[in-house]
Amino acid sequence: MLKKVLLAVGLIAIPSIAPAQQQPQQQPQQQPQQQLCQLECTTEKSERVTRSCHALNASDCANLGRAESGVGRTCRGYITSNCVQGR
């Protein structure tokens, strides 16, 4: 009877010896960079006049460049994550 008890105790202890399952490590999620509309306008002499940033999508950004262009000034809008203000 004593042998049966030791055998039973030994079998119960075996699963606790098994290696623990490793939990998958979660990678930190990167925040997407904010995309902004960079508007650049130049004069007829190709001097850079102004730079400005706007929170617009690509289509509206291109339309803004066309709308801001006029006599003696050409503007273009493009999407960037590194927008620069001023001259």
Side-chain angles (χ1 to χ4, degrees):
M1 179 100 181
L2 184 58
K3 288 183 180 179
K4 289 181 183 179
V5 173
L6 290 177
L7 183 59
V9 171
L11 290 176
I12 292 172
I14 289 174
S16 65
I17 296 172
Q21 292 181 347
Q22 292 182 353
Q23 297 292 329
Q25 294 181 356
Q26 293 180 348
Q27 297 290 335
Q29 293 181 357
Q30 295 179 357
Q31 294 290 337
Q33 291 184 337
Q34 184 178 9
Q35 299 293 301
L36 296 169
C37 173
Q38 175 81 65
L39 183 67
E40 287 186 349
C41 298
T42 56
T43 63
E44 290 176 344
K45 296 178 183 178
S46 297
E47 297 170 353
R48 184 169 285 133
V49 176
T50 57
R51 286 183 175 175
S52 57
C53 296
H54 306 273
L56 299 172
N57 63 33
S59 177
D60 291 341
C61 184
N63 288 336
L64 178 63
R66 286 191 284 276
E68 291 292 321
S69 295
V71 177
R73 179 170 131 152
T74 303
C75 298
R76 73 180 191 113
Y78 59 92
I79 298 296
T80 182
S81 59
N82 188 21
C83 205
V84 179
Q85 291 274 64
R87 291 196 94 168

